[in-house]
Amino acid sequence: MAKAASACLHEGAAADLVRGLKYRGWTALADYMGDRMLPVARALAGDATPTLVPVPLAPARLRERGFNQAALLALALARGTGWTVSPLLRRTRGGPALARLGRHEREQAASGAYWLDPAAPELLRHGLAVLIVDDVITTGATGVACSDALAAGGAQCLGVVSFARTNPLLERS
């Protein structure tokens, strides 16, 4: 993953929005959050017209939550840009909630956790430009793991765009 960009820092009202979407099911927030992500997504894309790839949830987490917040944000970005959304990745395994893990544990949990959907290789064969979408970038481990899986399939990963980013000075090590 060469680049990452976020609309705001994960603090104050922005952190409340993330928690509302992710843990309280306030899915209507996704449109507002996606609108805030538009400028940074466009900056990452440059002249390209990327396919938006939401970070997938593990099947158990998706059943528990009932929705994928990254997919909702990708759809909001698509409405604002005209770009397509394609869920090219799958999560191979569940694991502990990353919010409770430090940097090293996050890297271990994310490494090898994502793989290409069986339909993806045909789409990626010609170097499809993709932009990974997530709600929060903390250490970047998820983005790296997703980018690695996409690149291995032939995609041109332009980066990861998120609504929020934690302040690196506040991260646990």
Side-chain angles (χ1 to χ4, degrees):
M1 176 184 72
K3 299 178 186 177
S6 304
C8 55
L9 284 176
H10 187 260
E11 59 188 22
D16 291 340
L17 288 171
V18 169
R19 285 188 293 272
L21 172 62
K22 195 171 192 169
Y23 302 119
R24 295 184 189 107
W26 298 344
T27 56
L29 292 173
D31 286 335
Y32 172 81
M33 295 164 73
D35 285 348
R36 304 289 76 73
M37 294 166 66
L38 283 171
V40 293
R42 286 185 175 121
L44 276 177
D47 293 334
T49 303
T51 293
L52 300 168
V53 179
V55 171
L57 292 177
R61 183 86 64 216
L62 183 59
R63 281 190 303 275
E64 173 188 306
R65 200 168 285 162
F67 62 93
N68 177 346
Q69 70 279 0
L72 295 177
L73 293 171
L75 290 170
L77 279 172
R79 283 190 289 277
T81 60
W83 299 337
T84 60
V85 176
S86 187
L88 298 175
L89 294 172
R90 297 286 178 253
R91 176 85 192 235
T92 58
R93 62 181 185 269
L98 294 182
R100 295 184 176 94
L101 302 180
R103 177 180 297 276
H104 181 69
E105 292 85 5
R106 283 174 183 263
E107 289 170 357
Q108 287 182 321
S111 180
Y114 303 93
W115 55 279
L116 291 175
D117 181 276
E122 185 61 37
L123 293 170
L124 299 179
R125 190 165 303 186
H126 302 290
L128 180 71
V130 297
L131 195 57
I132 299 166
V133 180
D134 207 355
D135 57 340
V136 179
I137 296 172
T138 304
T139 65
T142 297
V144 168
C146 289
S147 179
D148 288 350
L150 289 162
Q156 175 195 357
C157 187
L158 303 176
V160 180
V161 63
S162 72
F163 174 70
R165 165 168 196 81
T166 59
N167 183 339
L169 297 175
L170 300 178
E171 291 177 8
R172 294 183 296 165
S173 53

